[in-house]
Amino acid sequence: MSDKKARSQGAVQTTGHAWDGDIQEFNNPLPTWWLWAFYATVVFALIYWVLYPAWPVGGSFTKGLFNDITFVDSDGSVKTTHWNTRALLIRDLKEGEEARLSAEYMSKVADASYAQILADPEMMAYTRSVAKGLFGDNCAACHGSGGQGVIGLFPNLADDAWLWGGSIDQIHKTIAEGRYGFMPAFRDTFNDKQLRDVASYVLSLSGNKVDNAARARGEKIFQTQEGGCHYCHTPAGTGLKSQGAADLTDQIWTIADVNGTDDPAVKLERVEKVISGGVQRQMPHWSERLTPAQIKLLTVYVHELGGGQ
Amino acid sequence: MADAGAQPLYQARIPIYTRSVKGRFRNLKWGILGLAYSVYFLLPWLRWERNVGPDQAVLFDISARKFYLFDLVVHAQDLFWLAGFLVIAALLLFFVTGIAGRVFCGYFCFQTLWTDLYMLIERLVQGDRVARIRLDKAPWSAAKLLRKGLTHFLWLLAAFLTGLTFTLYWEDAPRLIVDWFTGKAPFAAYATTLFLTATTYVMAGLAREQVCTYMCPYARFQSVMFDADTRIVAYDVSRGEAGRGRHRVTRELKSREQRQAQGVGECIDCGYCVQVCPTGIDIRDGLQVQCISCALCIDACGTIMDSLGWGKSLIGYTSEKQAAGLPSRLWKPRTVAYGLVLLGAIAALVWSVGNQAPLELSVVQLRQPLFVRLSDGRIQNSYELHMENKTDEPVQVAIMMRGLAGAQLDLGKLDSVELPPQRALHVLARVRWGSSRDTKGSRGFAFNIVPQRRDELGMISAPATFYLPGVDY
């Protein structure tokens, strides 16, 4: 039997130990090539150390051989460096297949008119995906990632109220040239009673229930030279877009948080505070920081957020 | 522990010189090999006419996220079909292995197919078993170098063609092959080809049965599916060994009658069954973990028995029970259950593929902000509509909504859009609703896309939710 076992690969050896007379231990040694496969991984590591950045040396590290990456940096200069994923990423962002496709779309959008973009679902989808990033980088710090703004500080871009106008041209102008919104403070002009009267009138414009006598007194101040409010907010209260004056007749409040409370006294107080303290807001101009194409994308994006005009 | 040092820590591979054999199973295996190679090597070259997309019958287009399988286009969101396919493959393996043992290993596994090819090359260049043993033992000479070199060259060539063919499935084959040899192909094409060239050469040329014995997990877990009724390749011990065991043919033990009279089995211990075994085992020792059920030993013994005129092969497909003379059942609850689940899985996949929607719509709610109040007091929610046209024709669709009385749908200038063939499109939709300030909570509704002038496509609907202020979501 023994020579047959030796011939057959299925035979299992024992370690030669025997306990209690007949208990033996199987021996299944690893195949030798397994050991060689382990040595092969060691050789692989050695080659890797030579070719790629590997070992820390003092404050630096070994850079590897034959692995230069040449890429165009963000400032336009051509740089060559040892292999690293950051350089690879920069190169791919500039020269990769996706970058090429994106550049193709970008030039298509840059050449198209606003009317063409708005009517083309593909260009709109491209605009939304790219401008979302631009908006996040440049606009979201104030206006919020979805353009929802902050009441009292930064206007909501996702609703349908446009302080400076919601047409494509007006939005473009706002982004490119910036805006400076100003309402004088009336704390030195009006006494407390007058402030309450004007606030009552302002609240009544959008359908809030207020004291009728106060409303009538406030209307007089609003519509005459005594307050002069109508110059910017117009006699109807709808606001001059050229001045960035708010529409007081709608349900949107960008400075005083009127919708945030159900208590009429608190509403009144919040409006009074705005009249008393005035408003001063500024949006920087972006024509020097963004390319015309980027401003175009952002214009369409912001226009689409709230539905545009 | 003194004897521990005497034990080798590693076991050197015992070289296996397989001898060629002819017979029923060998022919069957050549047939399967020919068929499998024809499909594998020729399929990338098959052209297929499509209105949109590449003209390659089978193409896995990773960058476009589309798999082309003849008239079927598998989109990224259909990839669960792959899971279904793998479930079917696993169930098929369970089902077949339970009934007939390691059929996959012996007849269909690419390790077996490629090893067969490599052994064929080896035999054509160096000769059969005895010639190869002699060549290996011979001192190095020009002739030996030439034969060995030619073998390895042909192995590498076969490995290279295997690797190259694999890459052809992922790009337009005629263009890729020109690019490959002119140095213009993508890095991934070279890397894949060379990697598969190396693995094919190593696995089929050098490692061979070591892959099945030491590396392959399927080899081991198929054993779990075996039972006493499973068909296995086994040696007929009672006939081969009789009472006194096997014995070589001698003058006194020449005929069947002489052997029977002396109680000697019909096995003449020629060793042919061991010599043809690609895993180097002796099937006469019984079922072993290395056995891949390739059935070549059946052919080998059959050849010998035929020449002696002693009837059929001593080795054959049988089951443990059958070999012990007990009744063996093919259809048992377990195999029936596997079969039913397998049929169910196949039916589900076929149904799913057959009912692939020509148009798809899914709705993504914009959550930042979830809603805004408009100047007239209404609330606005915004949604991104993802529409996909899986047909080969452009489809004009109207976008509508249903289930929110009095709501206004604003799509800018895109109330009706043209979906390009085999393309997806995203459109932003704004919905305005709820003039009453007291309305709180959320409402369900649906977006519909209605194909224009293409009634056969039918309306596609997708659910959405309208959120109102006043509730913490």
Side-chain angles (χ1 to χ4, degrees):
Chain A
M1 284 301 280
S2 63
D3 70 315
K4 195 191 81 182
K5 284 246 159 145
R7 197 174 54 198
S8 158
Q9 298 230 336
V12 181
Q13 309 162 352
T14 64
T15 57
H17 302 160
W19 290 274
D20 292 346
D22 58 350
I23 300 175
Q24 288 180 297
E25 192 181 358
F26 280 142
N27 180 35
N28 280 302
L30 275 179
T32 312
W33 59 260
W34 193 289
L35 186 67
W36 287 107
F38 170 67
Y39 291 146
T41 62
V42 174
V43 172
F44 177 87
L46 291 173
I47 296 171
Y48 188 95
W49 291 343
V50 173
L51 294 179
Y52 285 90
W55 285 98
V57 178
S60 179
F61 54 91
T62 57
K63 305 283 196 291
L65 296 173
F66 322 117
N67 61 15
D68 285 348
I69 298 172
T70 303
F71 65 98
V72 184
D73 209 353
S74 50
D75 59 5
S77 61
V78 179
K79 289 182 179 163
T80 299
T81 174
H82 64 85
W83 188 94
N84 69 86
T85 48
R86 187 183 165 79
L88 272 182
L89 178 69
I90 295 173
R91 192 183 67 184
D92 281 358
L93 284 175
K94 285 250 161 49
E95 299 165 20
E97 176 67 8
E98 283 76 10
R100 193 187 60 73
L101 277 175
S102 185
E104 206 174 273
Y105 258 99
M106 184 67 119
S107 69
K108 188 181 169 191
V109 171
D111 291 343
S113 73
Y114 278 118
Q116 284 169 330
I117 297 172
L118 290 174
D120 184 313
E122 287 216 8
M123 279 200 273
M124 286 300 278
Y126 171 78
T127 301
R128 201 158 49 248
S129 64
V130 173
K132 193 179 172 68
L134 285 173
F135 191 89
D137 288 349
N138 300 292
C139 318
C142 294
H143 288 289
S145 61
Q148 69 270 37
V150 180
I151 286 183
L153 294 170
F154 311 108
N156 185 340
L157 304 177
D159 63 21
D160 64 342
W162 301 92
L163 290 171
W164 300 93
S167 73
I168 282 282
D169 289 342
Q170 286 161 322
I171 295 171
H172 180 99
K173 191 165 188 277
T174 303
I175 298 174
E177 298 173 12
R179 294 293 187 185
Y180 182 65
F182 175 73
M183 178 175 123
F186 287 89
R187 69 169 76 84
D188 299 329
T189 318
F190 298 153
N191 58 32
D192 285 356
K193 185 165 171 292
Q194 285 172 311
L195 276 175
R196 174 136 309 193
D197 292 344
V198 175
S200 299
Y201 176 69
V202 166
L203 276 171
S204 75
L205 288 173
S206 53
N208 285 285
K209 287 204 173 70
V210 293
D211 179 58
N212 260 333
R215 191 199 69 84
R217 288 194 299 275
E219 180 173 9
K220 188 162 161 281
I221 299 169
F222 189 95
Q223 302 288 9
T224 65
Q225 292 215 16
E226 193 177 352
C229 310
H230 66 281
Y231 288 133
C232 292
H233 286 290
T234 75
T238 50
L240 271 184
K241 295 278 182 278
S242 61
Q243 301 301 310
D247 183 342
L248 303 175
T249 65
D250 65 17
Q251 299 299 322
I252 291 173
W253 298 87
T254 65
I255 312 273
D257 188 9
V258 170
N259 288 325
T261 176
D262 290 330
D263 184 351
V266 178
K267 289 184 192 221
L268 208 54
E269 198 181 295
R270 289 181 178 176
V271 176
E272 276 176 43
K273 204 175 156 202
V274 176
I275 300 169
S276 157
V279 178
Q280 192 169 343
R281 297 200 293 189
Q282 187 174 10
M283 168 161 147
H285 66 95
W286 295 89
S287 52
E288 285 167 18
R289 277 185 262 192
L290 299 175
T291 66
Q294 286 175 322
I295 290 178
K296 196 175 206 172
L297 290 172
L298 277 173
T299 301
V300 174
Y301 181 73
V302 171
H303 182 263
E304 197 189 25
L305 275 181
Q309 281 173 354
Chain B
M1 295 303 287
D3 57 347
Q7 295 270 352
L9 286 171
Y10 299 97
Q11 182 179 329
R13 179 182 176 230
I14 301 165
I16 296 171
Y17 298 92
T18 54
R19 189 170 152 191
S20 66
V21 64
K22 290 194 173 73
R24 196 154 56 100
F25 290 102
R26 182 64 267 180
N27 289 340
L28 176 65
K29 281 159 66 73
W30 284 133
I32 292 170
L33 187 140
L35 187 68
Y37 277 16
S38 310
V39 172
Y40 176 72
F41 286 102
L42 298 179
L43 201 53
W45 300 100
L46 185 62
R47 302 291 98 185
W48 203 257
E49 211 167 289
R50 289 189 186 92
N51 289 340
V52 184
D55 65 346
Q56 188 160 320
V58 176
L59 178 68
F60 305 116
D61 191 345
I62 295 281
S63 59
R65 291 165 191 84
K66 285 191 182 73
F67 288 176
Y68 298 93
L69 299 167
F70 304 96
D71 276 339
L72 179 68
V73 182
V74 181
H75 296 246
Q77 65 268 43
D78 298 326
L79 210 61
F80 67 93
W81 288 343
L82 181 64
F85 177 76
L86 292 175
V87 166
I88 289 171
L91 286 170
L92 189 64
L93 184 73
F94 299 168
F95 178 69
V96 172
T97 307
I99 293 178
R102 289 170 64 175
V103 171
F104 173 73
C105 297
Y107 298 86
F108 301 99
C109 178
F110 35 82
Q111 176 64 24
T112 300
L113 295 181
W114 261 264
T115 302
D116 264 0
L117 174 73
Y118 274 48
M119 285 176 175
L120 178 67
I121 292 173
E122 200 173 53
R123 180 156 58 85
L124 292 179
V125 176
Q126 302 179 16
D128 211 352
R129 176 181 152 87
V130 179
R132 291 207 303 279
I133 295 176
R134 199 179 298 137
L135 185 67
D136 270 8
K137 283 191 177 146
W140 282 100
S141 64
K144 180 172 175 176
L145 195 66
L146 181 71
R147 279 170 187 272
K148 286 278 175 189
L150 185 60
T151 307
H152 285 270
F153 171 75
L154 290 175
W155 281 357
L156 278 169
L157 186 66
F160 173 71
L161 290 175
T162 303
L164 184 63
T165 299
F166 182 81
T167 58
L168 297 181
Y169 281 89
W170 308 83
E171 266 271 16
D172 184 48
R175 198 184 64 222
L176 181 64
I177 206 146
V178 173
D179 285 355
W180 207 101
F181 288 105
T182 51
K184 283 184 231 147
F187 172 75
Y190 292 108
T192 308
T193 306
L194 294 180
F195 179 78
L196 285 174
T197 303
T199 51
T200 306
Y201 172 76
V202 170
M203 300 295 166
L206 310 178
R208 294 196 177 169
E209 84 289 345
Q210 303 275 307
V211 174
C212 312
T213 311
Y214 290 106
M215 298 183 206
C216 182
Y218 301 100
R220 292 301 161 102
F221 82 62
Q222 284 185 85
S223 316
V224 180
M225 296 154 204
F226 276 47
D227 60 22
D229 291 309
T230 302
R231 312 296 291 178
I232 52 171
V233 175
Y235 169 62
D236 187 343
V237 179
S238 61
R239 199 181 132 208
E241 308 282 322
R244 284 179 51 207
R246 64 190 79 139
H247 202 287
R248 291 187 173 276
V249 175
T250 59
R251 199 152 2 128
E252 296 79 37
L253 295 169
K254 213 166 190 176
S255 72
R256 247 174 147 183
E257 291 69 29
Q258 284 173 328
R259 295 173 82 94
Q260 273 167 5
Q262 300 209 27
V264 172
E266 288 181 24
C267 174
I268 59 163
D269 206 11
C270 65
Y272 197 7
C273 58
V274 180
Q275 290 162 3
V276 297
C277 180
T279 66
I281 57 170
D282 186 345
I283 195 68
R284 294 170 299 179
D285 293 343
L287 181 62
Q288 288 150 77
V289 74
Q290 289 91 343
C291 177
I292 58 168
S293 286
C294 70
L296 290 181
C297 49
I298 302 179
D299 281 344
C301 192
T303 313
I304 300 298
M305 290 295 127
D306 270 355
S307 68
L308 291 168
W310 290 358
K312 67 186 183 77
S313 175
L314 291 173
I315 305 164
Y317 270 106
T318 181
S319 71
E320 269 182 52
K321 278 189 181 173
Q322 204 176 334
L326 299 166
S328 187
R329 276 197 304 159
L330 195 60
W331 295 99
K332 292 177 299 177
R334 194 182 64 162
T335 38
V336 171
Y338 277 150
L340 289 177
V341 176
L342 177 62
L343 285 178
I346 293 173
L349 183 66
V350 168
W351 182 87
S352 178
V353 172
N355 284 278
Q356 183 192 35
L359 298 179
E360 271 195 16
L361 167 68
S362 59
V363 178
V364 178
Q365 175 127 21
L366 298 192
R367 298 187 165 267
Q368 193 72 8
L370 194 55
F371 51 77
V372 286
R373 187 182 297 280
L374 299 179
S375 53
D376 57 6
R378 288 186 298 171
I379 301 301
Q380 173 174 290
N381 282 203
S382 296
Y383 307 85
E384 198 164 53
L385 307 183
H386 293 199
M387 296 175 284
E388 180 149 20
N389 176 6
K390 293 182 177 177
T391 71
D392 283 347
E393 312 281 336
V395 179
Q396 188 80 29
V397 294
I399 304 168
M400 299 170 185
M401 58 177 290
R402 170 175 55 84
L404 212 56
Q408 181 201 349
L409 174 64
D410 177 14
L411 293 149
K413 293 185 162 51
L414 305 175
D415 296 298
S416 172
V417 293
E418 187 183 270
L419 305 177
Q422 300 288 3
R423 287 281 296 277
L425 210 54
H426 298 179
V427 167
L428 189 79
R430 291 162 297 265
V431 175
R432 299 174 186 136
W433 185 62
S435 52
S436 165
R437 286 191 154 215
D438 300 327
T439 321
K440 288 183 174 178
S442 59
R443 295 282 187 286
F445 69 101
F447 281 102
N448 294 333
I449 56 174
V450 184
Q452 311 289 291
R453 299 180 300 277
R454 294 285 298 276
D455 290 341
E456 79 280 5
L457 293 175
M459 185 183 80
I460 314 293
S461 194
T465 306
F466 191 92
Y467 289 96
L468 293 153
V471 176
D472 287 332
Y473 294 107

